[in-house]
Amino acid sequence: MKATGIVRRIDDLGRVVIPKEIRRTLHIRDGDPLEIYTEKNGEVIFKKYSPVGELSDFAAQICEALYKTGECVSAVCDRDTVIACAGVPKKELVDKRLSGGLSEIMDSRKLYTAAGKTELPLAEGESILCVSVAAPIVTEGDVMGCVAFAAKQGAPEPNEVQVKLATAVASFLGKQMEG
């Protein structure tokens, strides 16, 4: 564990403020769920909670089906990282931080399809795979992640099957996380 040198007091309602610098570094936004762990030695650990991450095994199976049907690299992402993928080795994408552009697409809550040639990177530092389709996963009004198809930079526009698959699977995953 890394010490920050920052000390905060708990208020009379049991609240503690997580400093802005830490929230920015860890990409913690207003309303993000945090999971709380305790250690025997008295440590309290806050971890960003990902409802999509809870479905990682299921998401991996879905990605395999999407890859076979859509004939294109597929990925299921939470708000920050790639949770599962198919069509490329998992070590290339899984747990990689999403590109800023893909995060903006999710924030817009709209289906994205690459117009013309694909140019938007899927993950930070990714120079080969770009987003061709991204459908946000929405649960109870909140964006939880997205279902994406990716192709090599400069690949042609996605086909209708890929667009419909991404939309349908994103809707299905959103329903699975409700309640």
Side-chain angles (χ1 to χ4, degrees):
M1 193 170 358
K2 183 178 172 184
T4 64
I6 300 170
V7 176
R8 291 286 190 256
R9 293 197 183 278
I10 295 176
D11 71 10
D12 58 339
L13 296 176
R15 298 176 295 197
V16 65
V17 174
I18 299 171
K20 187 174 188 175
E21 302 81 30
I22 292 174
R23 293 192 319 260
R24 187 180 315 129
T25 302
L26 298 177
H27 301 277
I28 298 172
R29 305 177 220 12
D30 289 351
D32 279 354
L34 298 176
E35 202 166 5
I36 302 169
Y37 296 89
T38 58
E39 295 287 332
K40 289 179 183 175
N41 63 2
E43 291 178 345
V44 177
I45 301 166
F46 290 93
K47 182 180 176 192
K48 230 174 142 176
Y49 176 72
S50 169
V52 178
E54 295 291 317
L55 301 173
S56 62
D57 292 339
F58 185 55
Q61 294 172 352
I62 286 176
C63 284
E64 285 296 328
L66 287 172
Y67 172 65
K68 290 175 183 171
T69 309
E71 299 176 342
C72 191
V73 172
S74 62
V76 173
C77 311
D78 67 9
R79 296 279 297 155
D80 299 308
T81 59
V82 177
I83 300 299
C85 68
V88 293
K90 289 175 182 26
K91 67 180 178 182
E92 285 186 30
L93 284 181
V94 173
D95 294 330
K96 294 260 176 118
R97 185 162 295 285
L98 302 182
S99 70
L102 184 52
S103 293
E104 287 176 22
I105 288 168
M106 284 190 285
D107 289 340
S108 76
R109 299 170 177 258
K110 295 179 182 169
L111 174 70
Y112 168 84
T113 56
K117 296 184 178 191
T118 56
E119 296 175 352
L120 175 72
L122 179 66
E124 281 184 2
E126 180 64 51
S127 59
I128 298 172
L129 286 176
C130 296
V131 179
S132 58
V133 178
I137 300 169
V138 180
T139 301
E140 297 174 348
D142 295 325
V143 176
M144 297 294 174
C146 73
V147 174
F149 279 106
K152 289 185 178 179
Q153 189 171 15
E157 291 182 24
N159 62 41
E160 188 177 340
V161 170
Q162 293 166 340
V163 173
K164 288 186 178 189
L165 280 170
T167 305
V169 170
S171 177
F172 175 75
L173 288 174
K175 296 282 186 218
Q176 290 299 304
M177 289 187 280
E178 285 182 358

